[in-house]
């Protein structure tokens, strides 16, 4: 599920950096007192008359986190962006379960103390889906706080997939930097509705922000729409560049593209899913 | 301000109207009818708005095309309510006739920026034509010596403008009568009345036609003219203070004191209120002969003479230079032309058996200057020389004293005591003789009898002379006419019924009358010589533009061509007797008559018209208030007052303004609906 190699806590199907018990050869080293004698390479001892340990790569499980932005702004579009995000998170989590990874699904607005269960194994898929299905939109987008809380809840390394529209008036940059400091392999999937990509608006409008009820008065005109598209493109490409410079993966998802297609095509190409 | 705008609303209405633009302005910025729309985030929109600076005032103004258009509509409406207008001329009526004077005086350059009066008049008519509505029609007549319909009635303004451009200045006199009669023909068609029992109904529709007369008014009033449906308006063109110096006469004549010399006489007239000295230059065939400075008193004439050699021949031209300190408004009267031909003596043949008193009267010094008189006896009438010369127009006049030729000669004739041997004369006179007739009346206005006193002449016996058809009795007596004149072809025959010297029964000469002892006797013969022969060469100097010039050429079958002063050529026909009538004399200058390619004659056409050269508009004399107004025209019994330079008519443009406002409103609607910009 990821190209990086992280340490796991339990044995899993994933190759680990740690040397341990597996069938895959990793290296040799000299015997040190206290080493497990079972790992001595007796053939080498017979040939070289030296005690040399044969090291095998340990196979471990993987920490996979799906962090869903469940703010009110995600409750827009058809299907809503939140719905789309939930489907996406569930799909990825299911892949993780199948591959015996440790899967945890959280939302941005969770407090530090509230930790969601970790799912492991195909059998926990049902519970996982139930949890995902229960996610309801609430609150405003506070990416930085949400990510910080997430990182505090989950100090270990792992793969995190942030599914959000990134529409945070404080900016998304500081939030993403938390992932970096925790050395998490971060995937950012920005979900936008069709109405945000191609706004179908006319006339004199007072736009009301659903989260903080901030207002913006606009008179729709061709130059205004042109400028909106420019701004949106700048915003998206800015996020992409920010991620690219920091080794993160970025993907822009339109809610009109089916989740299966996104997972099977785009995320496979990016290496998130193999 | 008052002349530009005219308020048509009260203060309350103005206050309400004045509040509309600020209201639009306020409503535009305060309009809160924005539809609320919940969006996931205003994050991007705020950035868009900030980028566009939509909230800045300038940006709003720049983008608020609709508001500008609304304000423009209101502004145009307010302007329309203010009724902006200007003073101008307007046409009242349905049909108009423009009479444009293009006579010589209309070439005066006292118009705006040195424009000629004709150009001023054309511009004035053009402005009037521009105001014509679609249901109006107009015609244009130019007039000088002859009226000319430049454009018949039409409502096509382009045609009228084109016709106006075709009017050219001419050098002719002004004659308004012809133009009025022409206009009258169009304006007052023959009336048709129908009698129904006792009532009369007029069938022909009578329409009033506005008649615009654009002229400088250098002509006398028109008498005996009824305007009928014509409603005249006199628009005087020109200024009251225009100045001009003109050559009003130019001719050549024999020097009285030195018969071998000829003189050129130049008369100048000063039509200004100050004395001026003028340099007169005389050219012969474009070579300067002489020049003289002449002091011309204000509103007076002066003259000068130049001596010419007798042999001089060619085109004579006199020009005047009024000098730089004098603004001479009319240029065409500063040059005059004359033709100087090698002078030929007029020839007179006296056929007489002997008449001392007559011979003495015909050979005085003065008579010699007029003609060369030859004398033969009646017996020589049979000779070949007479036969030949009498049939070839060799003589200008043949005087038959007490004798009669067999046939009438090709010359003017004067019979003394006999009748011309022509059927016309002999049938009319049955040799009715009377004794002692008393002269009771004579034609004092006739050239032959001018300045003569014939009363008290004793006549012993005389024949009564009755002229044939077309003839005229010159002297009448108690018993009947004694002297008569009658035309014959292009000659004239005079018959004097009594002899001057008669013969008694014994064949001795006796005095039949005491006329030779009277002062009138030599005077009569000088008149005869002057009329029939004298000064014939110089008599053609007073040809006027646009008047027919008659020339006498020898009968010819050859091609006759006239070269006009501008170099153009015209073929003309000559009648059997060699008379040439040439009508196309619009140009001033010298005309050459070519017969068979060789110059046969020349004649000059000159303006010499004081009313035309007196270019200042006439000021109305009577009345203290009207000292500076132009004199009116008199047409029939109607006194047509001169209109002021601009007729006080207000032209308003509220209609176009409202139309423009409507157009802007449509544009605003279109932009709002199509959202082409906002």
């Amino acid at each position: 599920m990821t190209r990086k190699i992280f340490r796991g806590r339990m044995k899993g199907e994933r190759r680990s950096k740690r040397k341990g018990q597996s069938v895959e050869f990793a290296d040799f080293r000299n015997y040190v007192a206290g080493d497990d004698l079972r790992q001595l390479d007796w053939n080498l001892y017979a040939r070289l008359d030296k005690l040399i340990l044969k090291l095998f790569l340990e196979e471990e499980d993987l920490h996979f986190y799906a962090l869903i932005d469940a703010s009110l702004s995600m409750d827009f579009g058809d299907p809503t962006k939140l719905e789309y995000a939930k489907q996406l998170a569930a799909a990825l989590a299911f892949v993780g379960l199948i591959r015996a990874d440790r899967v945890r699904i959280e939302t941005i607005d969770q407090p530090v103390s509230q930790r969601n269960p970790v799912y492991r194994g195909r059998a926990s898929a049902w519970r996982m889906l139930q949890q995902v299905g229960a996610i309801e939109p609430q609150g405003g987008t506070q990416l930085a706080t949400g990510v910080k809380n997430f990182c505090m809840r989950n100090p270990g390394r792992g793969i995190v997939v942030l599914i959000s529209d990134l529409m945070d008036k404080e900016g998304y940059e500081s939030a993403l930097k938390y992932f970096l400091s925790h050395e998490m392999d971060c995937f950012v999937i920005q979900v936008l509705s069709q109405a945000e990509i191609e706004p179908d608006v006319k006339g004199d409008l007072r736009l009301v922000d659903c989260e903080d009820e901030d207002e913006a008065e606009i008179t729709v005109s061709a130059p205004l729409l042109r400028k909106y598209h420019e701004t949106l493109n700048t915003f998206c490409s800015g996020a992409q560049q920010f991620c690219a410079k920091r080794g993160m993966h970025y993907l822009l998802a339109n809610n009109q593209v089916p989740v299966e297609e996104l997972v099977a095509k785009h995320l496979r190409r990016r290496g998130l899913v193999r | 301000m008052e002349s530009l705008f005219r308020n048509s609303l009260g203060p309350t209405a103005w206050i309400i109207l004045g509040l509309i633009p600020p209201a639009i302005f306020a409503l535009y910025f305060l309009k809160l009818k924005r539809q609320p729309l919940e969006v996931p985030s205003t994050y991007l929109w705020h950035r868009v708005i900030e980028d566009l600076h939509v909230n800045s005032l300038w940006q709003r103004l720049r983008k608020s095309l609709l508001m500008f258009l609304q304000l423009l509509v209101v502004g145009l409406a307010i302007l329309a309510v203010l009724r902006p207008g200007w003073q101008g001329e307007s046409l009242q009526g349905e049909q108009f006739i423009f009479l444009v004077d293009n006579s010589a005086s209309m070439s005066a350059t006292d118009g705006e920026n040195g424009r000629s009066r004709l150009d001023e008049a054309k511009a004035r008519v053009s402005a009037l034509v521009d105001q014509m509505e679609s249901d109006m029609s107009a015609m244009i007549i130019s007039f000088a010596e002859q009226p000319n319909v430049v454009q018949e009635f039409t409502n096509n303004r382009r045609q009228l403008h084109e016709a106006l451009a075709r009017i050219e200045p001419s050098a002719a006199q002004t004659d308004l009568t012809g133009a009025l009669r022409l206009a009258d023909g169009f304006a007052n068609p023959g009336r048709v009345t129908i009698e129904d029992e006792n009532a009369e109904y007029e069938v022909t529709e009578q329409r009033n036609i506005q008649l615009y007369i654009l002229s400088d008014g250098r002509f006398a009033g028109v008498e005996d003219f009824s305007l009928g449906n014509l409603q005249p308006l006199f628009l005087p063109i020109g200024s009251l203070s225009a100045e001009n110096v003109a050559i009003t006469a130019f001719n050549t004549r024999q020097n009285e004191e030195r018969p071998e010399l000829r003189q050129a006489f130049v008369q100048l007239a000063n039509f200004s209120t100050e004395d001026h000295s003028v340099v007169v230059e005389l050219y012969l065939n474009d070579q300067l002969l002489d020049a003289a400075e002449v002091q011309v008193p204000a509103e007076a004439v002066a003259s000068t003479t130049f001596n010419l050699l007798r042999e001089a021949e060619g085109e004579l031209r006199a020009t005047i230079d009024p000098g730089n300190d004098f603004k001479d408004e009319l240029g065409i009267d500063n040059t005059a032309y004359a033709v100087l031909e090698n002078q030929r003596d007029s020839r007179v043949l006296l056929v007489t058996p002997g008449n001392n008193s007559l011979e003495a009267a015909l050979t005085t010094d003065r008579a010699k200057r007029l003609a060369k008189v030859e004398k033969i006896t009646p017996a020589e009438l049979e000779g070949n020389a007479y036969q030949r010369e009498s049939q070839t127009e060799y003589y200008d006049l043949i005087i038959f004293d007490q004798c009669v030729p067999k046939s009438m000669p090709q010359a003017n004739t004067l019979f003394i005591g006999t009748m011309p041997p022509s059927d016309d004369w002999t049938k009319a006179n049955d040799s009715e003789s009377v004794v002692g007739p008393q002269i009771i009346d004579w034609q004092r206005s006739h050239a032959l009898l001018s300045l003569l006193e014939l009363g008290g002449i004793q006549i012993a016996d005389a024949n009564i002379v009755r002229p044939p058809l077309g003839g005229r009795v010159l002297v009448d007596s108690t018993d009947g006419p004694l002297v008569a004149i009658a035309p014959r072809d292009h000659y004239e025959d005079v018959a004097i019924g009594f002899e001057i010297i008669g013969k008694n029964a014994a064949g001795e000469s006796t005095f039949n009358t005491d006329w030779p002892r009277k002062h009138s006797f030599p005077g009569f013969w000088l008149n005869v010589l002057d009329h029939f022969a004298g000064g014939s060469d110089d008599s053609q100097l007073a040809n006027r533009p646009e008047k027919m010039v008659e020339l006498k050429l020898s009968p010819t079958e050859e091609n006759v061509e006239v070269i006009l002063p501008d170099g153009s050529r015209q073929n003309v026909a000559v009648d059997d007797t060699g008379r040439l009538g040439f009508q196309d004399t619009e140009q001033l200058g010298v005309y050459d008559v070519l017969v068979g390619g060789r110059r046969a004659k020349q004649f000059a056409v000159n303006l010499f018209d004081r009313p035309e050269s007196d270019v200042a508009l006439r000021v109305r004399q009577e009345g203290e208030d009207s000292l500076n107004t132009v004199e009116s025209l008199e047409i029939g019994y109607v006194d047509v007052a001169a209109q002021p330079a601009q007729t006080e008519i207000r032209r308003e443009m509220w209609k176009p303004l409202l139309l423009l406002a409507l157009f802007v409103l449509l544009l605003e609607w279109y932009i709002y609906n199509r959202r082409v910009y906002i």
Side-chain angles (χ1 to χ4, degrees):
Chain A
M1 220 172 143
T2 175
R3 290 169 298 177
K4 285 189 178 175
I5 298 169
F6 293 120
R7 283 181 64 188
R9 286 191 183 169
M10 300 173 72
K11 267 192 91 67
E13 290 183 2
R14 196 160 294 271
R15 215 168 47 190
S16 168
K17 274 187 184 173
R18 279 194 284 184
K19 309 296 182 291
Q21 294 173 351
S22 74
V23 291
E24 199 163 344
F25 171 75
D27 203 355
F28 295 99
R29 74 169 168 84
N30 289 333
Y31 172 75
V32 180
D35 282 339
D36 189 352
L37 293 178
R38 287 178 295 178
Q39 291 179 4
L40 282 172
D41 189 339
W42 297 110
N43 291 330
L44 283 176
Y45 179 73
R47 193 179 292 177
L48 302 172
D49 201 14
K50 277 186 180 175
L51 287 173
I52 290 173
L53 238 62
K54 190 177 183 181
L55 300 179
F56 294 90
L57 289 178
E58 175 113 320
E59 289 189 337
E60 293 180 333
D61 62 349
L62 180 74
H63 290 264
F64 172 77
Y65 303 99
L67 185 57
I68 299 173
D69 177 2
S71 62
L72 288 171
S73 68
M74 292 291 283
D75 191 25
F76 276 89
D78 182 27
T80 64
K81 291 189 281 180
L82 182 60
E83 206 64 39
Y84 195 81
K86 280 153 71 177
Q87 289 178 19
L88 189 57
L92 292 173
F94 189 73
V95 173
L97 290 179
I98 286 174
R99 301 194 61 155
D101 289 331
R102 292 161 60 87
V103 172
R104 176 176 274 169
I105 295 175
E106 296 197 343
T107 54
I108 286 279
D109 57 332
Q110 275 180 230
V112 181
S113 54
Q114 186 193 345
R115 305 180 73 175
N116 285 6
V118 174
Y119 305 104
R120 188 182 165 91
R122 189 184 295 250
S124 28
W126 181 244
R127 283 192 294 124
M128 182 268 293
L129 288 176
Q130 273 188 325
Q131 188 218 322
V132 171
I135 295 174
E136 289 293 326
Q138 58 180 339
T141 310
Q142 288 180 320
L143 278 178
T145 314
V147 172
K148 184 180 166 190
N149 291 345
F150 169 81
C151 288
M152 287 169 70
R153 284 195 302 269
N154 304 286
R157 296 178 182 177
I159 301 166
V160 59
V161 177
L162 173 65
I163 307 172
S164 168
D165 54 9
L166 298 183
M167 297 285 184
D168 186 349
K169 284 172 184 160
E170 303 296 325
Y172 55 83
E173 292 87 350
S174 56
L176 297 184
K177 281 177 185 170
Y178 279 114
F179 290 127
L180 288 177
S181 60
H182 278 70
E183 295 185 20
M184 283 200 168
D185 190 9
C186 183
F187 281 80
V188 178
I189 299 176
Q190 186 179 11
V191 181
L192 291 178
S193 67
Q194 182 66 22
E196 284 170 305
I197 295 168
E198 289 290 341
D200 182 23
V201 283
K202 273 180 191 170
D204 301 326
L205 298 172
R206 192 174 74 246
L207 304 178
V208 182
D209 196 314
C210 65
E211 294 177 359
D212 55 6
E213 296 188 344
D214 177 36
E215 290 182 352
E217 290 186 347
I218 60 161
T219 301
V220 181
S221 66
L224 186 84
L225 291 177
R226 207 160 45 238
K227 193 71 198 171
Y228 175 82
H229 284 123
E230 284 174 16
T231 309
L232 180 67
N233 288 337
T234 309
F235 178 67
C236 295
S237 59
Q240 187 180 21
Q241 283 178 13
F242 181 88
C243 294
K245 281 181 184 169
R246 288 161 181 79
M248 297 181 185
H249 304 277
Y250 171 87
L251 185 70
L252 177 65
N254 184 341
N255 69 343
Q256 301 302 304
V257 178
V259 174
E260 312 85 77
E261 189 185 328
L262 187 77
V263 173
K265 224 187 241 179
H266 301 289
L267 288 178
R268 186 184 290 276
R269 201 182 301 146
R270 302 292 175 95
L272 182 64
V273 180
R274 254 186 273 181
Chain B
M1 193 72 181
E2 180 60 29
S3 61
L4 186 60
F5 295 108
R6 186 169 289 180
N7 191 5
S8 55
L9 291 182
T12 316
W14 270 118
I15 291 171
I16 295 170
L17 200 60
L19 286 175
I20 292 178
I24 289 178
F25 201 74
L27 285 174
Y28 199 83
F29 282 104
L30 298 176
K31 67 175 176 184
L32 297 175
K33 279 197 168 182
R34 291 178 182 275
Q35 295 291 323
L37 179 70
E38 197 171 44
V39 290
S41 174
T42 53
Y43 175 56
L44 287 178
W45 288 112
H46 274 300
R47 291 174 66 169
V48 170
I49 291 166
E50 279 167 21
D51 281 355
L52 279 177
H53 301 288
V54 170
N55 288 323
S56 76
L57 182 66
W58 165 243
Q59 287 297 322
R60 283 199 175 200
L61 288 177
R62 193 165 71 87
K63 299 290 180 187
S64 302
L65 182 61
L66 287 179
M67 185 189 73
F68 276 122
L69 290 176
Q70 286 163 4
L71 288 175
L72 187 60
V73 170
V74 176
L76 287 170
I78 290 176
L79 204 58
V81 169
L82 275 172
R83 288 173 61 192
W86 60 93
Q87 300 301 106
E89 289 178 271
S90 88
L91 291 173
Q92 304 283 330
E94 287 180 357
Q95 286 191 305
F96 311 93
I97 297 178
F98 298 106
L99 295 187
V100 182
D101 182 1
N102 67 340
S103 65
S105 57
M106 291 295 278
S107 297
T109 53
D110 56 349
E112 205 174 312
N113 299 328
R115 264 201 312 191
S116 75
R117 289 180 179 180
L118 183 61
D119 288 339
E120 286 273 314
K122 283 156 80 171
R124 197 97 185 259
V125 175
S126 180
L128 288 168
V129 165
D130 281 338
Q131 294 170 24
M132 277 174 57
E133 310 275 337
S134 57
D135 59 341
M136 298 177 174
S137 61
M139 76 180 291
I140 299 175
I141 297 175
S142 70
F143 71 98
E145 184 78 34
Q146 302 289 335
N148 177 27
V149 178
V150 189
Q151 175 63 51
E152 290 188 6
F153 273 115
T154 178
N155 59 359
N156 187 332
R157 285 186 286 186
R158 184 181 55 79
Q159 275 186 8
L160 288 166
H161 283 299
E162 285 174 0
L164 209 53
R166 284 200 298 271
I167 301 178
E168 296 280 336
S170 80
Q173 277 181 298
T174 316
D175 181 15
L176 180 62
T177 316
L180 283 176
R181 292 198 193 290
L182 194 60
D184 180 55
F186 285 98
N188 303 316
R191 295 177 187 183
V192 178
T193 54
I194 290 180
E195 275 187 46
D196 185 11
E197 295 180 357
N198 294 326
E200 277 190 2
Y201 299 100
E202 205 160 77
V203 174
T204 314
E205 191 185 0
Q206 296 297 319
R207 274 187 180 175
N208 286 333
I209 294 186
Q210 198 72 255
L211 180 73
Y212 283 88
I213 304 169
L214 292 101
S215 170
D216 51 7
R218 308 307 308 176
F219 45 82
V222 180
E223 293 174 1
D224 300 331
F225 184 81
S226 168
L227 284 162
N229 294 327
L230 291 172
Q231 295 184 330
L233 275 173
F234 173 37
L235 306 183
I237 307 289
S239 68
L240 295 164
S241 58
E243 296 183 322
N244 188 30
V245 173
I247 299 178
T248 49
F250 178 45
N251 58 33
T252 58
R253 63 189 178 197
Q254 206 161 28
N255 194 326
E256 295 278 340
E257 290 156 2
R258 297 171 63 190
E260 74 277 13
L261 291 181
R262 272 194 285 180
Q263 285 180 322
F265 171 79
V266 182
Q267 187 190 56
L268 307 167
N270 180 0
F271 299 102
S272 71
T273 51
E274 286 177 26
D275 299 353
H276 284 289
S277 108
V278 177
V279 175
V280 186
E281 293 173 348
L282 187 71
Y283 294 85
L284 179 64
N285 295 330
D286 289 332
Q287 298 233 320
L288 182 66
L289 275 188
D290 203 352
E293 188 170 358
V294 183
Q295 185 77 23
V296 195
E299 296 175 354
V301 291
S303 62
T304 183
T305 52
F306 297 94
N307 283 327
L308 303 167
L309 289 176
R310 190 179 172 81
E311 297 78 31
E313 194 178 339
E315 297 176 19
L316 208 56
R317 176 161 58 89
T319 62
I320 54 171
D321 180 8
N324 293 329
D325 57 335
F326 182 74
K327 189 161 177 3
D328 190 75
E329 301 288 5
L330 192 60
I332 58 170
D333 57 8
N334 290 352
T335 309
Y337 306 88
V339 177
L340 205 54
E341 290 181 340
N342 200 353
Q343 200 170 30
R344 174 182 75 88
D345 280 327
S346 301
R347 299 186 186 88
V348 174
L349 181 66
L350 173 63
V351 188
T352 177
N355 189 337
N356 287 336
S357 53
L358 180 58
E359 284 169 37
L362 290 174
T363 50
T364 59
D365 282 351
R366 197 144 173 222
K368 275 182 187 169
R369 286 204 293 272
L370 291 172
K372 186 179 167 190
V373 181
E374 294 173 22
K375 193 187 90 173
I376 58 170
T377 59
E380 289 177 71
L381 287 177
E382 304 297 328
N384 287 335
Y386 168 77
Q387 291 296 337
R388 188 178 62 247
E389 287 164 355
S390 69
Q391 297 303 321
T392 55
E393 294 194 337
Y394 182 78
Y395 295 109
D396 295 295
L397 172 68
I398 301 176
I399 302 170
F400 296 98
D401 181 24
Q402 309 162 57
C403 61
V404 178
K406 282 186 177 170
S407 62
M408 291 299 280
Q410 294 294 313
N412 298 305
T413 58
L414 191 147
F415 290 83
I416 303 172
T418 53
M419 286 294 133
S422 144
D423 291 345
D424 297 338
W425 283 88
T426 46
K427 277 180 189 169
N429 303 278
D430 298 334
S431 55
E432 182 186 350
S433 59
V434 292
V435 177
Q438 291 293 311
I439 293 174
I440 55 171
D441 191 22
W442 62 96
Q443 296 288 333
R444 287 173 173 82
S445 61
H446 196 275
L448 290 181
L449 301 179
S450 71
L451 303 173
L452 295 186
E453 176 57 50
L454 297 182
I457 294 175
Q458 303 292 323
I459 300 166
D461 51 48
N463 291 323
I464 296 303
V465 180
R466 297 188 197 280
L469 204 62
R472 196 172 167 193
V473 173
L474 293 180
V475 178
D476 215 348
S477 75
T478 48
D479 297 302
L482 291 182
V483 180
I485 185 167
R488 167 174 55 92
D489 297 337
H490 49 271
Y491 308 111
E492 282 183 308
D493 301 319
V494 180
I496 299 174
F498 54 92
E499 291 177 336
I500 297 164
I501 295 176
K503 285 189 189 306
N504 59 15
E508 294 170 341
S509 295
T510 58
F511 280 98
N512 189 37
T513 171
D514 65 347
W515 190 24
R517 294 181 189 170
K518 306 280 184 185
H519 291 302
S520 59
F521 188 73
F524 174 78
W525 291 109
L526 277 178
N527 281 351
V528 167
L529 293 182
D530 196 40
H531 180 70
F532 287 112
S536 60
D537 284 348
D538 294 342
S539 64
Q540 295 172 358
L541 290 169
N543 293 320
R544 307 294 298 276
E546 291 195 13
K547 296 244 165 128
M548 193 165 87
V549 173
E550 277 198 37
L551 294 175
K552 188 167 168 300
L553 305 170
S554 50
T556 173
E557 291 178 1
E558 284 182 283
N559 186 26
V560 176
E561 202 175 25
V562 177
I563 303 178
L564 277 64
D566 66 353
S568 59
R569 290 165 178 259
Q570 277 192 19
N571 287 317
V572 285
V574 180
D575 68 11
D576 298 339
T577 59
R579 294 254 165 178
L580 167 72
F582 188 70
Q583 185 73 49
D584 197 5
T585 54
E586 286 169 12
Q587 301 169 33
L588 301 181
V590 176
Y591 293 67
D592 287 337
V593 182
L594 306 183
V595 178
R598 285 187 304 174
R599 183 194 289 167
K601 275 237 188 277
Q602 284 185 303
F603 62 90
V605 174
N606 288 296
L607 181 61
F608 296 163
D609 192 316
R610 284 201 191 187
E612 292 297 329
S613 293
D614 187 3
V615 290
L617 287 181
R618 283 192 193 117
V619 179
R620 186 181 297 184
Q621 296 297 325
E622 70 273 15
E624 290 180 3
D625 298 336
S626 54
L627 270 180
N628 283 324
T629 57
V630 180
E631 194 179 40
S632 57
L633 276 184
E634 282 175 25
I635 299 176
Y637 298 105
V638 182
D639 198 14
V640 185
Q643 299 293 310
Q646 285 289 319
T647 317
E648 292 286 316
I649 296 293
R650 190 178 164 79
R651 304 287 297 171
E652 293 192 353
M653 58 177 301
W654 61 270
K655 281 182 190 169
L657 280 174
L658 277 188
L659 283 176
L660 191 62
L662 192 64
F663 172 76
V664 174
L665 200 63
L666 286 173
L667 186 70
E668 196 259 350
W669 175 85
Y670 172 78
I671 290 175
Y672 178 77
N673 280 282
R674 294 296 301 269
R675 295 180 181 281
V676 287
Y677 189 68
I678 289 292

